[in-house]
Amino acid sequence: MARRENPEINAGSMADIAFLLLIFFLVTTTMDVDSGVSKKLAEKPPVDFKPPIIKEKNIFEVSINRNNQLFVEGEIMELKDLKKAAMDFIDNGGGVGKVEDGVETGPCTYCKGAKDPDSSDHPNKAVISVESDRGTEYGTYVAVQNELLAAYTELRNRLSEEKYGVSFTELEEEFKTSNRKDESLRKKVEDIKNSYPQVISDTDPTNVQ
């Protein structure tokens, strides 16, 4: 009786299949992304740069201590109230028609704030200063930043809807969809951004009591 030989397995083909499966899983697998705050860092100023003098009333002071307590203008505040407080400050429009360094400070023709003379003159003069303690939890810091960014977003959306009949969020998305080539949309986006410039200044972490 003749001896039957066992057929050999082509290992090369199995290696190709395994390699293809590896590529498939690498392409289709969703990776976890660390959460954070999307902000554009300021460029390093030149050596002879002299920072502009800012009126105290045009600065909105926000601080977070090591116990994650929030203070706004020296008074303790709940996180849920921060967005409205920031909006009231940015949109105050308390200027009286001056022009400083070529920048209009008021009156703001589109602001709907209280026009408090002791608060910000104009959105393009309003600065939000955030100070945190070295012991502040990162999650608390991010939550505070999110509320401040939400204040700007709501003000921009309101103005965009009044002027162009669409929210700024939708306007900006439409501009991105056009690969940033639509000049008409570009002018509208820049108009809203210039009307409510996002100015949030982060100081170096200190020991906030």
Side-chain angles (χ1 to χ4, degrees):
M1 181 177 181
R3 185 177 179 180
R4 176 181 295 179
E5 295 183 359
N6 292 327
E8 295 181 358
I9 299 176
N10 188 346
S13 298
M14 294 185 66
D16 292 338
I17 294 173
F19 182 68
L20 291 172
L21 287 173
L22 177 61
I23 293 176
F24 172 78
F25 286 118
L26 286 174
V27 171
T28 58
T29 301
T30 302
M31 306 296 289
D32 291 334
V33 179
D34 293 335
S35 61
V37 179
S38 177
K39 295 182 67 177
K40 182 179 180 180
L41 299 178
E43 297 180 0
K44 186 177 180 180
V47 178
D48 58 347
F49 175 75
K50 293 182 180 180
I53 299 175
I54 303 174
K55 295 179 182 178
E56 185 176 349
K57 68 175 184 176
N58 286 322
I59 302 176
F60 187 70
E61 296 182 347
V62 178
S63 61
I64 318 167
N65 68 12
R66 66 184 62 192
N67 297 319
N68 298 308
Q69 291 177 305
L70 175 65
F71 291 84
V72 175
E73 299 291 277
E75 301 291 333
I76 193 166
M77 178 179 287
E78 295 292 328
L79 181 64
K80 62 182 178 62
D81 300 321
L82 178 59
K83 184 178 79 170
K84 184 180 184 306
M87 288 177 62
D88 290 343
F89 167 76
I90 300 165
D91 201 40
N92 180 61
V96 291
K98 296 180 180 178
V99 176
E100 299 178 1
D101 299 325
V103 178
E104 177 192 358
T105 61
C108 176
T109 58
Y110 51 85
C111 291
K112 302 185 184 301
K115 302 189 185 304
D116 183 354
D118 295 324
S119 188
S120 71
D121 290 324
H122 196 280
N124 60 28
K125 301 291 285 186
V127 177
I128 296 180
S129 175
V130 180
E131 181 185 31
S132 59
D133 186 90
R134 290 184 175 87
T136 301
E137 292 181 2
Y138 180 69
T140 302
Y141 172 80
V142 170
V144 167
Q145 291 283 350
N146 283 339
E147 291 300 306
L148 296 175
L149 293 175
Y152 280 104
T153 298
E154 188 163 330
L155 289 171
R156 287 176 171 181
N157 281 341
R158 186 191 72 193
L159 182 60
S160 181
E161 287 173 353
E162 290 177 354
K163 296 186 72 172
Y164 305 118
V166 63
S167 72
F168 178 73
T169 303
E170 294 173 303
L171 186 67
E172 196 171 33
E173 185 61 33
E174 188 176 350
F175 177 54
K176 290 178 181 178
T177 303
S178 72
N179 293 322
R180 303 179 183 274
K181 294 180 179 179
D182 191 317
E183 288 302 317
S184 175
L185 290 175
R186 181 191 298 278
K187 290 179 179 179
K188 291 179 181 179
V189 168
E190 290 179 351
D191 174 42
I192 300 300
K193 282 186 175 181
N194 291 334
S195 297
Y196 286 110
Q198 183 179 295
V199 185
I200 301 177
S201 173
D202 289 284
T203 60
D204 293 332
T206 56
N207 294 316
V208 181
Q209 301 300 323

